[in-house]
Amino acid sequence: MKLSPDKTLLEYFYYREKNQPDNIYLRQPLGDTYKDFSWKEVGQQARKIATYLKSLNLPPKSNIALVSKNCAEWLIADFGILMSGHVSVPFYATLTAEQLNQVMVHSGCQVIFVGKLDEVENIEKGIPKDVTRISFPTYNPQPAHVQWEEIMAHHAPQAEDYLPKMDDLFSIIYTSGTTGNPKGVMLTFKAVASGVYSTREHAKLDYPNARFFSYLPLSHIAERNVIESGATIAGATVYFAETLESFAKNLATAKPTHFLAVPRIWTKFQLGILSKLPQNKLEFLLKIPVISSLIKTKIRKGLGLNNTAIILTAAAPMPIPLIEWFRKLGIVIQEAYGMTENLGAVSMMPREKIKDSTVGKVYPGMEIKLMPDTHEICTRSDWNMIGYYKEPQMTAETIDSEGWIHTGDVGELDEEGYLKITGRVKEMYKTSKGEYVAPAQIEVGFASNSFIEQICVAGNNLPQPIALVVLSDFARTTARQKVNESLEATLKGLNPTLKPYEKVQRIVILKDTWTVDNNKLTPTMKIKRGNIEKEFAAQLEPWYNKKETVVWE
């Protein structure tokens, strides 16, 4: 089927359903086995979901919620919602009951699909009482819910191929809430169609026998683009990760041709490799031509990345030393940049002409301008959001009268169309000397140190910044003196490259890892800088005044 900016995602699905009905679309791991879903089976189940939703006699284009970790039923339910003419509103599976209640009330959803969750009984408390609940079949279905299997047994598949209008609402995607409450980004079918069409060559959607691996939250724009849109249009097979423990095994089985990972995942991969093959030994082996090729192949096969056509990173800045480290292993990572408000599609690094320290070249059809004073990046395209749900004031503050989205990111654009991100407008803070510091750029300078797993540069109203650090598992088993020496050496190399007011005065090693559960990370593994700084605000000055360079909490 030829790609077109005038075809909705549903049209691509209907084409695959009719033209390759018996091909495997979804592969769901269940222990050591897989449950396979053909395009025909996914279509039949989604059409039954659509019939059921229509039987509820909801107002046209009602918002329908979906909360679950990634699994086959997530995509089936989402297609069922779209086929019924309603609007898909997915939520992160890591939300607390209170957080879920906030977005449920805000979105006004009267129906929710409840799927693969760690604590489904607890999340129940966040769902308003009058909302219809539907349980996925495999993952602890709740007896009081409408059961998936009942829908499958008692409803005929919708016969018609429902075709939405291009300007109809496709989905309301709530941001991950790095700062403040999540905002509901409204995206149309036109936005999805235009974005996919304009990035089609970059995404290699014509790659034969494509395989995708789904594990990042499907409620996030990046995974929604890559897995739901990309795999559907490519006619690919989607493999899922079952659990954190089975992740490596599931990935090795999938052997994806298209793979996306956030920087924290790449750091985990690196630390896993170095735990088996220390850096000094790795460097030595890579210098021996025949051995080098064998080592690279073995590492790539071990990760499940030996058949990749495209490897992406997104959602947070990727440290250059980490990209270079993987490149030496034959794993070429292409950085992509965007935000929910512009469909996550602003720029991508071309594999053939990599320019490190940038986030690649701006996509065709995407306009960029930089604000004169702040250098804030503004974007304009056919795949802009139409606004924030129920938030006209926030919408007016983000989209100006000429249709430019003000991203909040600060950057530079060179003559070849490569974009560089230098910080966040809201993350910049003022030292006690009155100078503004962009912490993200300083944090990247620590990326080459494998003892560091997480870092947050802080120091509002301190004379100089300090770095709050969480050690890697590898570092936690290393002698404290050796860790101190390594961190001091990194700091000694970094500070001369920084402006005088950016030089890091102190490194503070914290006891606890930052996680989604303790509200220090978003579901896409970005640090919640405000939460971290708030927790340690009272200790920043005493830490700053210590004599030693490396301070242990």
Side-chain angles (χ1 to χ4, degrees):
M1 184 178 186
K2 191 174 181 180
L3 274 171
S4 165
D6 300 318
K7 285 188 173 71
T8 68
L9 182 62
L10 278 176
E11 289 176 82
Y12 292 109
F13 179 84
Y14 296 145
Y15 174 83
R16 296 296 176 189
E17 181 190 23
K18 289 176 176 61
N19 288 276
Q20 51 186 64
D22 298 323
N23 288 11
I24 300 302
Y25 177 28
L26 308 177
R27 298 207 74 199
Q28 179 65 49
L30 298 169
D32 293 328
T33 63
Y34 277 81
K35 183 177 181 180
D36 292 343
F37 297 80
S38 67
W39 287 91
K40 180 180 179 181
E41 177 63 22
V42 171
Q44 289 293 294
Q45 291 199 27
R47 289 170 182 275
K48 289 180 179 182
I49 293 291
T51 300
Y52 167 74
L53 292 174
K54 285 186 173 181
S55 75
L56 300 178
N57 295 316
L58 300 168
K61 301 177 183 177
S62 289
N63 295 338
I64 296 183
L66 199 171
V67 60
S68 173
K69 292 183 181 180
N70 299 19
C71 60
E73 286 83 6
W74 199 107
L75 289 176
I76 295 170
D78 204 48
F79 278 117
I81 293 168
L82 300 180
M83 289 176 184
S84 70
H86 295 306
V87 180
S88 163
V89 187
F91 298 129
Y92 287 99
T94 51
L95 295 180
T96 64
E98 182 181 0
Q99 290 167 335
L100 179 62
N101 183 261
Q102 189 262 322
V103 287
M104 280 292 294
V105 171
H106 185 268
S107 63
C109 292
Q110 291 302 301
V111 179
I112 184 169
F113 287 87
V114 181
K116 186 179 179 184
L117 297 169
D118 290 332
E119 297 180 1
V120 64
E121 297 87 353
N122 185 51
I123 211 75
E124 277 283 305
K125 300 171 187 174
I127 303 173
K129 290 182 179 179
D130 58 345
V131 170
T132 299
R133 300 153 168 81
I134 305 162
S135 267
F136 283 6
T138 311
Y139 310 100
N140 193 18
Q142 298 301 289
H145 291 191
V146 175
Q147 298 302 306
W148 184 282
E149 299 297 356
E150 289 179 8
I151 295 174
M152 297 300 118
H154 298 113
H155 290 83
Q158 176 175 287
E160 65 180 19
D161 289 353
Y162 170 76
L163 293 175
K165 295 184 173 129
M166 294 298 284
D167 290 331
D168 284 349
L169 204 53
F170 162 72
S171 187
I172 299 173
I173 301 180
Y174 278 82
T175 59
S176 56
T178 310
T179 56
N181 285 331
K183 300 184 287 287
V185 174
M186 295 188 289
L187 296 170
T188 63
F189 281 93
K190 177 185 177 181
V192 176
S194 300
V196 169
Y197 181 76
S198 296
T199 61
R200 64 195 183 282
E201 293 179 3
H202 302 74
K204 297 185 182 295
L205 297 182
D206 58 352
Y207 195 81
N209 301 314
R211 296 181 303 281
F212 289 63
F213 186 66
S214 179
Y215 68 100
L216 294 171
L218 273 163
S219 48
H220 185 267
I221 188 62
E223 190 81 348
R224 198 92 173 276
N225 281 345
V226 171
I227 299 301
E228 186 169 53
S229 298
T232 299
I233 290 167
T237 300
V238 176
Y239 290 72
F240 294 93
E242 185 175 23
T243 64
L244 186 61
E245 292 72 26
S246 71
F247 176 89
K249 180 177 73 172
N250 297 151
L251 177 57
T253 299
K255 300 180 182 65
T257 57
H258 296 64
F259 183 68
L260 165 68
V262 295
R264 182 160 159 74
I265 297 294
W266 292 113
T267 300
K268 287 284 190 184
F269 284 167
Q270 182 194 43
L271 294 174
I273 293 166
L274 292 176
S275 69
K276 298 174 183 175
L277 194 60
Q279 184 67 37
N280 290 342
K281 186 175 181 181
L282 178 61
E283 288 177 359
F284 173 75
L285 293 174
L286 290 177
K287 290 176 182 176
I288 307 170
V290 177
I291 300 296
S292 174
S293 178
L294 291 172
I295 289 292
K296 291 177 184 177
T297 300
K298 185 175 181 180
I299 289 173
R300 292 198 301 268
K301 279 186 176 178
L303 291 175
L305 301 179
N306 206 38
N307 297 312
T308 48
I310 181 170
I311 301 176
L312 296 174
T313 187
M318 180 76 165
I320 301 305
L322 192 58
I323 288 179
E324 292 174 335
W325 190 88
F326 277 102
R327 201 181 295 153
K328 289 175 183 176
L329 299 176
I331 297 173
V332 180
I333 302 169
Q334 296 168 251
E335 192 158 10
Y337 164 72
M339 56 196 294
T340 313
E341 288 83 344
N342 48 40
L343 204 75
V346 174
S347 67
M348 181 176 145
M349 187 70 71
R351 185 184 173 96
E352 307 76 28
K353 194 177 180 183
I354 289 172
K355 188 179 283 191
D356 287 332
S357 83
T358 75
V359 289
K361 295 188 75 169
V362 176
Y363 287 122
M366 170 58 70
E367 295 180 84
I368 295 283
K369 77 170 182 178
L370 304 179
M371 297 302 288
D373 298 327
T374 62
H375 288 199
E376 180 184 12
I377 299 166
C378 298
T379 71
R380 187 168 64 183
S381 67
D382 287 340
W383 52 93
N384 274 12
M385 70 170 182
I386 59 173
Y388 294 119
Y389 187 64
K390 290 184 179 176
E391 302 291 350
Q393 182 60 39
M394 285 185 182
T395 299
E397 291 168 359
T398 302
I399 307 178
D400 65 25
S401 59
E402 296 180 340
W404 291 98
I405 289 178
H406 292 247
T407 67
D409 289 319
V410 179
E412 303 167 1
L413 188 66
D414 71 16
E415 66 283 352
E416 293 185 283
Y418 284 81
L419 185 63
K420 181 177 183 178
I421 311 299
T422 57
R424 287 281 297 166
V425 174
K426 290 182 180 179
E427 286 184 354
M428 297 178 73
Y429 67 84
K430 189 182 287 188
T431 69
S432 62
K433 298 174 184 176
E435 301 283 2
Y436 281 98
V437 172
Q441 294 307 300
I442 301 173
E443 289 160 3
V444 167
F446 288 89
S448 60
N449 194 310
S450 60
F451 285 161
I452 298 174
E453 181 164 328
Q454 298 170 311
I455 184 168
C456 176
V457 169
N460 194 22
N461 292 323
L462 292 178
Q464 298 288 144
I466 66 174
L468 306 180
V469 163
V470 174
L471 295 179
S472 65
D473 291 340
F474 170 63
R476 292 174 189 270
T477 62
T478 304
R480 180 174 289 199
Q481 182 59 33
K482 189 173 181 180
V483 173
N484 285 352
E485 290 171 357
S486 176
L487 296 182
E488 287 170 5
T490 297
L491 193 60
K492 188 176 180 180
L494 173 64
N495 271 341
T497 70
L498 302 174
K499 295 170 185 173
Y501 57 85
E502 293 177 328
K503 296 182 188 298
V504 177
Q505 183 75 12
R506 204 81 60 224
I507 297 174
V508 180
I509 297 175
L510 303 176
K511 293 176 182 175
D512 298 326
T513 301
W514 301 330
T515 66
V516 175
D517 290 339
N518 62 26
N519 208 24
K520 301 297 193 304
L521 292 182
T522 71
T524 53
M525 305 299 176
K526 288 184 278 191
I527 63 169
K528 289 192 171 183
R529 193 178 301 278
N531 290 2
I532 294 167
E533 291 176 349
K534 183 178 179 181
E535 177 168 330
F536 299 109
Q539 295 158 270
L540 294 183
E541 189 170 348
W543 282 334
Y544 182 88
N545 292 326
K546 294 277 188 181
K547 292 181 180 180
E548 58 268 36
T549 302
V550 179
V551 177
W552 294 69
E553 185 186 14

